[in-house]
Amino acid sequence: MAPMTPSESDAHQQLLDSLDLTLMPRPFRNTHWKPSQRRNKNIKQIVAEASRKEASVLATQTNSGSSTPHIQSSATGTGAVTPLPGTAQVHSNIAQAAQSLSTIVLERNLQASLASGPMATYTNIESAPSLHPAHQKHYCDITGLPAPYTDPKSRLRYHNKEVFEVVRSLPQGVAEKYLEARGAHVVLK
């Protein structure tokens, strides 16, 4: 192949420069991008909102028909007075019937929860953690990986065969130090 003339090499260099992607500006964001109008909530906001909702339900329950005195008059059929939970009454409006039914259910649930103490529910995050042995995972004392095995001689937990070889090759006092770090060290007096 014949060597290039200076005009051909100039044209070739200009073509390479025009195709070079490293010289093109690359903005970090798309110029047409706009943030979403929907705001995500963090866990603190979700818990606060749930506790406010529970507090408003409790406030509604304490201000329900059970605390209103029952008036013996013709006003009870018109909806001007909240009926007692035990009274049977024909409601002309379905919405009133549904609301009185929900009030009765809320009052009964409140009475049941006050009698038995606090319940662990989906919205109540203050329940105690499970202490069932099936929910406790054991981890290797050497590597920190899940440990399905325990050495009967040193009582150290290990992950696999290689770690077992390391456990068996440990000097006398080192195994006790690992047990002490885990909180399983027994001191005999």
Side-chain angles (χ1 to χ4, degrees):
M1 184 165 160
M4 288 185 160
T5 63
S7 64
E8 289 177 0
S9 65
D10 254 358
H12 183 68
Q13 186 61 37
Q14 287 177 352
L15 177 64
L16 288 176
D17 289 340
S18 68
L19 295 176
D20 190 10
L21 294 176
T22 58
L23 301 176
M24 294 180 65
R26 291 184 301 264
F28 179 69
R29 282 193 207 167
N30 184 354
T31 56
H32 301 291
W33 181 84
K34 291 184 180 176
S36 173
Q37 296 300 322
R38 183 176 174 182
R39 198 179 108 206
N40 295 329
K41 296 178 183 178
N42 59 21
I43 190 70
K44 186 176 180 181
Q45 291 171 330
I46 292 170
V47 170
E49 184 177 298
S51 64
R52 273 196 307 265
K53 186 175 180 181
E54 286 181 1
S56 70
V57 167
L58 289 176
T60 307
Q61 291 171 354
T62 58
N63 193 15
S64 63
S66 64
S67 62
T68 307
H70 183 61
I71 301 172
Q72 299 290 337
S73 69
S74 63
T76 57
T78 62
V81 177
T82 306
L84 286 174
T87 60
Q89 182 176 339
V90 177
H91 291 280
S92 59
N93 190 352
I94 295 176
Q96 286 178 344
Q99 185 171 1
S100 68
L101 179 63
S102 66
T103 303
I104 292 169
V105 169
L106 286 173
E107 288 170 356
R108 297 238 172 111
N109 288 342
L110 176 66
Q111 290 171 358
S113 68
L114 290 178
S116 65
M119 294 187 325
T121 62
Y122 180 75
T123 58
N124 183 7
I125 63 170
E126 296 175 1
S127 61
S130 175
L131 299 176
H132 193 271
H135 298 291
Q136 296 175 351
K137 289 188 100 176
H138 298 291
Y139 295 99
C140 177
D141 291 318
I142 309 296
T143 63
L145 296 170
Y149 313 109
T150 303
D151 179 23
K153 184 177 176 184
S154 65
R155 296 180 299 134
L156 288 177
R157 296 180 183 143
Y158 60 94
H159 177 66
N160 56 14
K161 181 181 173 184
E162 291 85 13
V163 180
F164 178 69
E165 293 171 359
V166 171
V167 167
R168 284 296 170 109
S169 67
L170 291 174
Q172 181 65 28
V174 177
E176 285 85 20
K177 295 287 185 188
Y178 277 110
L179 289 172
E180 186 178 353
R182 185 176 50 165
H185 183 62
V186 177
V187 178
L188 298 175
K189 293 183 180 182

